[in-house]
Amino acid sequence: MEQLKTIGRELAMGSQGGFGQSKEFLDLVKSIGEARSKAEEDRIVLSEIETLKRRIVEPDIPRRKMKEYIIRLVYVEMLGHDASFGYIHAVKMTHNDNLLLKRTGYLAVTLFLNEDHDLIILIVNTIQKDLKSDNYLIVCAALNVVCKLINEETIPAVLPQVVELLGHSKEAVRKKAIMALHRFYQKSPSSVSHLVSNFRKRLCDNDPGVMGATLCPLFDLITIDVNSYKDLVVSFVSILKQIAERRLPKSYDYHQMPAPFIQIKLLKILALLGSGDKQASEHMYTVVGDIFRKCDSSSNIGNAVLYECISCVSAIYPNAKLLEAAADVIARFLKSDSHNLKYMGIDALGRLIKLSPEVAEQHQLAVIDCLEDPDDTLKRKTFELLYKMTKSSNVEVIVDRMIDYMININDNHYKTEIASRCVELAEQFAPSNHWFIQTMNRVFEHAGDLVKSKVAHNLMRLIAEGFGRRMILQIVESYLRIIGEPKLPSLFLQVICWVLGEYGTADGKFSASYVTGKLCDVADAYSNDEIVKSYAVTALMKLFVFEIAAGRKVDILPECQSLIEELSASHSTDLQQRVYELQAIIGLDAHAVECILPSDASCEDIEIDKNLSFLNDYVQQSLEKGAQPYIPESERSGMLDISNFRSQDQHEASTHGLREVQQAATVPSSSDTGSSEVKLRLDGVQKKWGRPTYSSSAASTSNSSSQNTVYEVTPVDGSSNVNSKAREASYDLKKTQVEISPEKQKLAASLFGGTSKSERRASSTGHKVPKGSSHVLKSTAGSTTDVLVEKTTPVQPPPDLLDLGEPTIKDGPSSVDPFKQLEELLDPTQLGSSANPGIVGSTSAPDIMQLYSDKPASGQSGGFMYPSSSNRSDDNLVSGLANATTDSAHNITAAAHPSQFSKGPNLKDSLEKDALVRQMGVTHQVKIPTYLKIC
Amino acid sequence: MIKAVMVINTQGKPRLAKFYDFLTVDKQQELIRSVFGVLCSRAENVSNFMEADSIFGPDSRLVYKHYATLYFVFVFDTCENELAVLDLIQVFVETLDKCFRNVCELDIVFNYSKLHTILDEIVFGGQVLETSSAEIMKAVEEISKLEASSNSITLVPKTVSGWRNR
C-alpha cells in the first residue's frame, strides 16, 4: 500500500517534467530557507541526515526516489554536513544502466570524492565500460568523471580509450576527450608526454569548437615551452584572421562578435609566442590591428577582446601603430563610466607603460579618479599601476598614499603586500634620509608584524652603514619618542632596541640612564616577547659597555637591576646567556670591553685568524710533552665527515664571539652588498646617502653640456615662446573639457610630473632647432594629445642598466656651470612653458649633487617641460638608448644601431620619425571624434 | 583555469558550489563563507572584479554578478580574462533562463542536478568548453530527453550487499 502511494506520487512528479522533486525535498529546502539561525539550520539538516540514513538502505527503492536521495545527500553536503555514509550508494548508482541514474551517480561522485579516495577503484571499471559505450551521452558523462576522479595511478587504465575518443564522430565527444587529455597532462605530464602531438593534430579539426578546445592545452604547453611551438605562429594567426573575418558559422557568434572566446584564447597564445621575438611578432601585426579596428567596443565581450589585444600588443615585439591603437582603447576604457572598464583600463595601462610611458601622462586625471574611487578593487589596481611607475620624483606622493590606504584596511594579506611595496619603493627612490626614516617608521608602526624580518635587518644595516651621525641622531630621537607608544609591533621594537643600543648614547645628547630606562620599560611592557627582550638586553649590554669604554661609571638603574635578575632565571636559555654575558662584561675594564664591543662597528669586518696562530705556543708545549701531532685533513683517509664537521665548528666558534643578534655584522663590507643575496639595492642608495646632500629649493638641472647648448639656443630661436603658447592652448583646451579641481591637478602634477622627465642627455645642436620648431608650429595646430605625446620620453631605465650609461655622463659635466643652469631654469619664460602649473612647487626637486653622482637616471629635470625644439632629436636619441638597453622599441629605425646613443642623432632617422609622428598625430585626431560619437 | 563556480543567495546560503580542484567539505564551507563575506561588503555600482589572493591563494581572481537574490561567482587564475568571464556568467544565466523560463532562485534549488548538467557543458575540468547558450541548450535537452525515455518506473535492488553479489 505504502509503495503504491509512492508510485502515485512519482507519477504526479513525472508529469511536472524531468526534474521534479518530491514534497519532502521541497519541505526540506523551505524549512532550511526559513531557518532563523545557523543552529536551527543544523538541526534540520541533521534530522534530514538521519532520515536519509534510514531510507537509503531500504530494499527496492524506486529509481526516481533513489535519485532524489542522492541529490538530497549532495545538497546536505553543500550545506557543510558530512554525507559520507551515502558515498557508497552514489558509487553504486554509477553502475546502473539507466542513464538518469548513472548521470546522477556520476554527478554525486564528482562532488563527493577526490581522486585519491578509496572508492574510486570501484568506479574505474564502470568508467572504462562507459567510455566505450555506443551512446555518446554516456561517453560524455564518463569523460566528465575522468577529468575529476582519475589520478596519476589510474590514468593508464583509461588513457587508451580517451585517446581513441579523440577521433570520435561527435564533436562534443572529441572536445571533451581533448579536455580530459589536458587534465591528465596537468596531473601528470610524464604519463601523456608521448601524446602531446595529438593536440597539434586536433588544432586542424573540422569543427571550430574542437579547435577552440585544443587551444586550452596548447596554451599551457606553450607557456611551459615557447620555442617548440614557434612553427604554429602562422597557423594561429591564420585561424585568428579567419575568425576576425567572420568565416566561422554564425552559431559561433556571441553578441554579434565572431567566436570571441576563441579570439581571446588565440590572442593570449600569440602574446606568449611573440614575446621578445621580432620575427614571430611581425606575422601578428596585421591581424591584431584588424581586430583593433573591427572590435565592437559597445559590448562587454568586445571590450574583453580589445583588452586582450592590448595585452598581446604589450607582450610582443613593439609596433608603433599598434601601441597607438592600444593607447586609444585605454583612453576609451578609462573614460568609461563602467568600473569594470576602468579596471581593465588601469590594468592595460600598467602593461603598456613599460613600452610607452607617456601614455600614463595623458590619463593622469583618470588615474587619480580611480585612486579616489570607493571601489576597493579599482583602488588596488591603481596602486599597482602607481607602483609600476614610481620614480624618485613622485615616490613621496605615492608612498604616502599607499601608507594612508594601508592603515585603513583590515585585510592582512593585502596589507602585507602593500607594506612590502612601500618599503621597496622607499629604499629604491627615497628623496631624502629624513623622509625615508619617517616612512619606515610609519610602515613599521602600522604593519610591523606583517613585513618580513629581512626588511628590518636591511633597515638596521642601512642605518649603520649608510647614514651620517646627524641622521642617526634624528633616528634615535624619533625612536625614543615612538618607544613610549602602546602596542608596537615586535619587529619594529627589535629595530628600535638595536638602534638605541648601538647609537642611543653615541652623541651624548641622551644619557645612558635615560636610554637604559626606556629599554627596561620595553622589556617590561612586552614581557611575552622573548625576541624583543633579548634585543633589549643586548642593547643594554652595549650601552653599559660604551659607558665603561668612555671611562664613565656605570650606574645601573634599580629597575634595570631587577630586570637583569629576573631574566637570569628566565626559561629561555638564550635570554639567560645574554644576561650572564652582560653581567660578566660589565665587570671588565675599559680596554677589554672596547675589544669586545667596539663602538659603531656593527658593519666592520671581523678579522678571523683561521690559523689560530695564537695557539702556536700552546701546541708547541703540548708536542714537547709528547702529544700526537696534528695530521692535516688531506693526509687522512675515511674521516671526511668528521673533518668537515670540525672545520665548520671551528668557523662557527670564531664568529660566535660576537653574539650579535642580527647577521649584519657578519656581512663582509658595505661595498659588495650589491652582490650579496639581500635584495635591497644598497649600492645606489648608499652612494646617495653616504655624503651629505642638500635639496635645492630651485628646480633641478640636467647633467650634460649639450643640454646647456639647448638652453642657450632656444630663446634665440623664439620657439620656446611658441611652445609655451601651444602648451597654454592645450591646457585651456583641457580645462574646458573637464572641470578639474586644483588639488587633483596638484596631485596629478606630483604623480606624473616625473613621467615627463627623463634623461635629456641630448646632444642636439643648433642645426636641429629650426626643424624642431617648425614641427612645434604644426603640432600647435594639431591635437592636444599630440603635444602631450611629444614632450614625453621613456621611463628611467632599470637600475641594472645604469652602469651602461655611466661613461656617457662622465665626460659631460666638465663644462656645466650648475648656477648658470639654475638661473636659466628660473627664467620666467621657461617657467611659463611648463605644462602643468602646479608642478614646480609640488615636485621635489632632485638634488644638484645628483648631477655628479654616477647614477645617470638622476639626471632628471624636476618636472620641467623642455621646449619641443630639442625634443625632436631627444626623442630619437633616448629611444635609441632605450633600444640598446631595455627592449623598448619605441623607434624601429634606431634599433639597428644600438650604440648610437653616445653619438649625435641620425638626421635621416629623425626625419622619418618626424613623419611618423605627424602621421600618428593625424590618426589620433580622427580617432577621438569617432569615440566621442560612440559616447 | 577556472578554480570554482559558486551560486550564493543574498543570505549567504550556497545554491551551487563546484570546485575544480578537490577541497574538503570544511574548506569549501570556509571559502563560501569568506567569499560571501567579501561580496556583501561591496557597494553597489562598483566593478564586478576582485582580487581573491587572500581567499584562494596567489594569483586568484574573482568575478561575480548579482542577479535578484543570487550572486554568481567564478574564481579563476591569471590565464582568464575578467571581462570574458563576466560574459561567461552571462552565458550561464542566459542558459538557465532559457531552460527555466525566467529563472528564479527556486528553480535553481529544485533543479540542482540540471544546474550541474548545464554548468558541466560550459566549464569542463576547469576550462571553458562551450560559450553558446543555444549549443548548451541543445546538449542539455538531448540529455533530458534520453533520461526521460529511459525512465520507466522500475524497482532497483538497493542494498549494497545486493549489488556486491552481482
Side-chain angles (χ1 to χ4, degrees), chain A residues 729-770:
Chain A
S730 72
Y731 179 62
D732 283 344
L733 244 173
K734 242 190 180 173
K735 207 171 178 184
T736 47
Q737 277 166 2
V738 211
E739 211 49 59
I740 304 155
S741 73
E743 299 96 72
K744 213 181 257 179
Q745 264 176 31
K746 209 171 148 194
L747 180 62
S750 45
L751 278 179
F752 294 88
T755 330
S756 61
K757 57 170 119 160
S758 68
E759 316 87 301
R760 307 262 169 190
R761 221 175 293 122
S763 51
S764 80
T765 39
H767 73 275
K768 284 282 162 212
V769 175

Side-chain angles (χ1 to χ4, degrees), chain A residues 338-625:
Chain A
S338 151
H339 279 80
N340 290 344
L341 287 186
K342 279 187 187 165
Y343 174 91
M344 296 318 257
I346 295 278
D347 186 86
L349 199 55
R351 290 172 186 272
L352 206 64
I353 204 165
K354 281 175 240 150
L355 297 175
S356 42
E358 71 274 8
V359 188
E361 199 174 331
Q362 295 170 31
H363 305 301
Q364 35 184 286
L365 292 170
V367 170
I368 286 158
D369 277 341
C370 292
L371 201 59
E372 279 158 8
D373 200 277
D375 184 356
D376 230 31
T377 312
L378 193 55
K379 223 181 231 174
R380 290 183 186 187
K381 199 78 200 171
T382 314
F383 275 121
E384 209 177 300
L385 171 71
L386 290 182
Y387 168 74
K388 283 181 194 157
M389 49 178 268
T390 308
K391 47 201 63 191
S392 41
S393 58
N394 57 14
V395 66
E396 287 172 86
V397 192
I398 290 178
V399 172
D400 279 356
R401 286 241 157 195
M402 280 185 169
I403 295 176
D404 286 344
Y405 179 66
M406 182 187 83
I407 292 170
N408 292 321
I409 54 172
N410 297 320
D411 176 355
N412 274 355
H413 181 86
Y414 190 65
K415 215 170 181 168
T416 313
E417 192 182 311
I418 202 163
S420 58
R421 281 184 172 181
C422 286
V423 171
E424 190 188 319
L425 292 178
E427 282 174 349
Q428 223 173 317
F429 298 110
S432 73
N433 295 339
H434 183 72
W435 178 85
F436 177 76
I437 290 301
Q438 279 197 324
T439 306
M440 291 307 260
N441 285 354
R442 279 181 80 195
V443 172
F444 273 105
E445 213 177 315
H446 296 287
D449 287 329
L450 299 172
V451 295
K452 291 200 187 82
S453 54
K454 208 175 182 179
V455 173
H457 294 158
N458 280 343
L459 177 64
M460 288 189 262
R461 196 173 64 214
L462 203 62
I463 291 173
E465 286 176 350
F467 290 154
R469 295 207 81 81
R470 222 169 54 104
M471 198 57 224
I472 288 176
L473 182 66
Q474 272 185 37
I475 298 168
V476 169
E477 274 172 19
S478 73
Y479 283 175
L480 282 171
R481 205 165 46 240
I482 292 168
I483 205 171
E485 283 175 27
K487 283 193 186 157
L488 290 172
S490 171
L491 201 61
F492 191 28
L493 285 166
Q494 293 166 29
V495 176
I496 293 180
C497 286
W498 186 82
V499 171
L500 290 184
E502 196 75 15
Y503 300 108
T505 55
D507 276 270
K509 188 174 173 188
F510 301 104
S511 72
S513 62
Y514 177 70
V515 181
T516 51
K518 289 276 189 190
L519 286 169
C520 287
D521 291 347
V522 168
D524 274 343
Y526 300 89
S527 53
N528 292 330
D529 192 334
E530 279 181 7
I531 303 174
V532 168
K533 277 201 283 190
S534 31
Y535 267 86
V537 169
T538 309
L540 284 176
M541 175 161 73
K542 280 193 248 177
L543 289 171
F544 291 143
V545 162
F546 297 154
E547 285 298 287
I548 296 169
R552 286 188 288 268
K553 194 184 162 296
V554 180
D555 66 321
I556 300 173
L557 298 173
E559 68 243 46
C560 218
Q561 193 61 51
S562 67
L563 177 78
I564 290 169
E565 270 156 29
E566 185 201 323
L567 292 184
S568 62
S570 165
H571 289 300
S572 155
T573 46
D574 178 64
L575 267 175
Q576 265 194 33
Q577 188 175 349
R578 281 168 202 273
V579 172
Y580 283 127
E581 277 173 9
L582 185 152
Q583 284 172 330
I585 288 173
I586 338 181
L588 298 173
D589 63 82
H591 177 70
V593 293
E594 214 166 345
C595 292
I596 298 170
L597 281 171
S599 160
D600 192 14
S602 58
C603 303
E604 302 290 308
D605 271 342
I606 297 167
E607 277 183 35
I608 299 164
D609 186 356
K610 279 192 177 163
N611 296 327
L612 304 177
S613 55
F614 58 90
L615 287 176
N616 283 352
D617 286 348
Y618 177 76
V619 172
Q620 199 59 39
Q621 274 174 23
S622 303
L623 284 175
E624 277 164 16
K625 281 179 193 160

Side-chain angles (χ1 to χ4, degrees), chain A residues 3 11 19 21 25-26 29 32-33 41 57-58 60-64 66-67 71 74-75 77-80 88-89 92 95-96 98-100 103 107 111-114 122 135-137 143-144 147-148 175-176 179-180 182-183 186 216 219 251 254-255 261 264-265 268 300-301 303-304 307-308 339-341 343-344 375 377 381 384 411 413, chain B residues 1 11 13-22 25-26 28-29 32 42 45-51 53-54 61 78-88 90-91 94 109-114 116-117 120-121 124-125 127-132 135 139 142-144 146-147 150-160 163-164 166:
Chain A
Q3 208 161 343
L11 283 170
F19 292 90
Q21 311 289 344
F25 186 57
L26 195 133
V29 175
I32 289 174
E41 184 193 304
V57 291
E58 282 171 12
D60 300 338
I61 306 166
R63 60 164 64 129
R64 175 170 287 282
M66 193 61 199
K67 184 210 159 184
I71 294 292
V74 174
Y75 189 76
E77 195 163 278
M78 187 178 71
L79 293 172
I88 185 72
H89 297 282
K92 207 172 63 177
H95 301 267
N96 204 298
N98 179 301
L99 181 69
L100 177 71
R103 282 183 47 86
L107 168 67
L111 292 170
F112 286 151
L113 307 181
N114 67 342
L122 299 175
N135 186 337
Y136 85 99
L137 288 174
L143 279 171
N144 203 1
C147 268
K148 185 77 198 285
K175 258 198 299 200
K176 287 182 180 174
M179 293 299 201
H182 179 207
R183 195 76 176 153
Q186 285 177 330
C216 297
F219 176 76
S251 65
Y254 175 79
H255 292 195
F261 291 92
I264 288 171
K265 209 82 210 174
K268 276 186 188 295
N300 186 53
I301 193 70
N303 287 321
Y307 166 79
E308 215 49 62
H339 279 80
N340 290 344
L341 287 186
Y343 174 91
M344 296 318 257
D375 184 356
T377 312
K381 199 78 200 171
E384 209 177 300
D411 176 355
H413 181 86
Chain B
M1 157 175 184
Q11 273 131 43
K13 287 206 189 344
R15 288 310 184 198
L16 171 91
K18 189 151 184 139
F19 294 86
Y20 289 94
D21 287 315
F22 180 78
V25 177
D26 292 337
Q28 292 184 10
Q29 288 302 306
I32 293 171
R42 283 179 70 79
N45 298 325
V46 294
S47 63
N48 300 76
F49 313 141
M50 274 177 44
E51 324 232 309
D53 300 25
S54 50
R61 283 176 291 176
T78 44
C79 296
E80 309 286 332
N81 168 324
E82 281 101 332
L83 283 173
V85 174
L86 197 60
D87 262 296
L88 203 61
Q90 184 67 29
V91 170
E94 263 174 34
V109 176
F110 291 115
N111 296 287
Y112 193 71
S113 61
K114 189 158 192 172
H116 273 285
T117 309
D120 283 345
E121 289 299 318
F124 190 87
Q127 302 288 344
V128 182
L129 184 73
E130 180 58 67
T131 50
S132 146
E135 288 292 315
E142 215 162 326
I143 291 167
S144 309
L146 223 93
E147 281 181 347
S150 69
N151 194 30
S152 55
I153 299 164
T154 50
L155 299 177
V156 191
K158 277 304 149 193
T159 49
V160 173
W163 158 75
R164 277 203 178 133
R166 266 207 292 169

